[in-house]
Amino acid sequence: MRTGEIFALQWRNVDLAARRVHVRESVKGPLKDDDSRVVPVLDALLPILKTWKLKGGGTGRVIPPMRCDGEKIYKGTPGPYLRAALEKLKLAREGLGWYEATRHTFASQWVLAGGSIEKLSVMLGHYSVTMTERYAHLRPDLFPVEDLATIAIDLRPGRAKTGAIGHQMGTGTEKHAGTTRKQKKMVGAAL
């Protein structure tokens, strides 16, 4: 979820029995793409949310206002505090803000674990899978073993049979055996 969505999340939109969160709003109002979505509650988060719900009573915001005046917290508020804590731990890093980093880390871990790009796109609230495809290069099944043997040719000196590739690809000389000399010239020029 985006940080603004997390800070606006109401317990009424969290169904722990069905393990779903219905994302409906952000702290600034409507969602980025104006479309609500359902996000699953993963195994690691379920016990934390259950405990948090019991502790807080399960009404109102999941993350209550943390300001002394009781106003809701905005997505930029935690940044300076987190940066200070990370600096103290010698983990400070330039670049992405803390919420982008956690979002990207989740997306990367999801893909590395073999999760579906399409499901990830829905969870992240991307308008299109194209936005989510930046994580596709991390997929462990991107180049499975059977793809690695697609072109079976021995490239060691003196071992390669160049005709084998043409035949497998449908461009070998056998295909053109019944053609005229003029047709062969045209095919050769096209290639």
Side-chain angles (χ1 to χ4, degrees):
M1 293 172 61
R2 295 178 179 94
T3 306
E5 297 166 347
I6 292 169
F7 289 140
L9 184 62
Q10 301 280 334
W11 277 114
R12 69 176 177 263
N13 295 324
V14 178
D15 184 348
L16 294 177
R19 299 180 61 168
R20 294 180 181 184
V21 172
H22 196 149
V23 183
R24 296 177 181 268
E25 62 185 326
S26 184
V27 290
K28 291 187 177 180
L31 296 174
K32 187 174 181 180
D33 295 327
D34 291 328
D35 289 330
S36 66
R37 67 184 188 283
V38 174
V39 176
V41 175
L42 302 180
D43 289 345
L45 184 58
L46 185 62
I48 295 167
L49 282 178
K50 283 181 177 180
T51 303
W52 188 248
K53 187 173 184 176
L54 286 173
K55 185 176 181 179
T59 59
R61 292 186 190 280
V62 173
I63 298 176
M66 292 184 255
R67 294 173 30 154
C68 60
D69 61 5
E71 290 294 314
K72 64 185 171 186
I73 191 168
Y74 289 92
K75 71 179 191 176
T77 305
Y81 301 105
L82 181 65
R83 274 191 294 283
L86 292 175
E87 283 175 22
K88 193 171 185 175
L89 295 168
K90 296 184 173 132
L91 297 172
R93 183 174 173 256
E94 297 297 320
L96 294 174
W98 72 275
Y99 66 95
E100 288 107 343
T102 56
R103 224 169 117 77
H104 287 287
T105 299
F106 170 80
S108 298
Q109 292 298 318
W110 175 269
V111 172
L112 284 167
S116 153
I117 291 285
E118 292 79 13
K119 288 179 182 178
L120 179 62
S121 183
V122 170
M123 284 189 283
L124 294 176
H126 287 163
Y127 182 72
S128 120
V129 175
T130 305
M131 286 285 296
T132 317
E133 286 180 345
R134 69 182 80 167
Y135 303 103
H137 72 281
L138 298 171
R139 288 180 39 196
D141 65 339
L142 185 60
F143 297 110
V145 175
E146 56 271 9
D147 284 355
L148 301 177
T150 299
I151 299 176
I153 185 169
D154 188 346
L155 296 175
R156 292 179 289 183
R159 302 261 182 131
K161 293 181 182 176
T162 55
I165 294 176
H167 178 67
Q168 288 178 342
M169 300 292 285
T171 59
T173 55
E174 303 81 23
K175 186 173 182 174
H176 304 292
T179 58
T180 66
R181 187 173 278 172
K182 184 177 178 181
Q183 288 173 324
K184 286 180 187 179
K185 261 188 169 176
M186 289 173 54
V187 168
L191 296 175

